[in-house]
Amino acid sequence: MGRFEYATVEWLWDSGGLRADLPGGATKKAQGEYSAVVQLLGELGREGWEVASCVASANWLFWTLKRNA
């Protein structure tokens, strides 16, 4: 079986707050609308991350990402 590590991305779309929490306590923050989400997810994808799941409620979207450890 493969081993994975996980990260999360949270977007509060009404305020534009975007935050990725990565293993080891590292964070990436951005501010903006849809293009900022695409840019951050693209950057994380180039680092090997892929979206494993997404949930949403009201003004909030939350993604769980995984990559091979």
Side-chain angles (χ1 to χ4, degrees), residues 1-52:
M1 274 195 110
R3 293 182 46 151
F4 300 103
E5 56 184 351
Y6 294 90
T8 61
V9 174
E10 180 180 46
W11 182 35
L12 299 171
W13 61 263
D14 60 345
S15 65
L18 187 59
R19 175 183 172 142
D21 288 288
L22 306 167
T27 60
K28 294 184 179 196
K29 293 183 181 180
Q31 191 72 23
E33 297 185 358
Y34 296 98
S35 61
V37 173
V38 170
Q39 183 176 351
L40 179 59
L41 289 175
E43 178 184 330
L44 292 168
R46 287 186 294 278
E47 295 173 8
W49 295 101
E50 64 179 287
V51 172

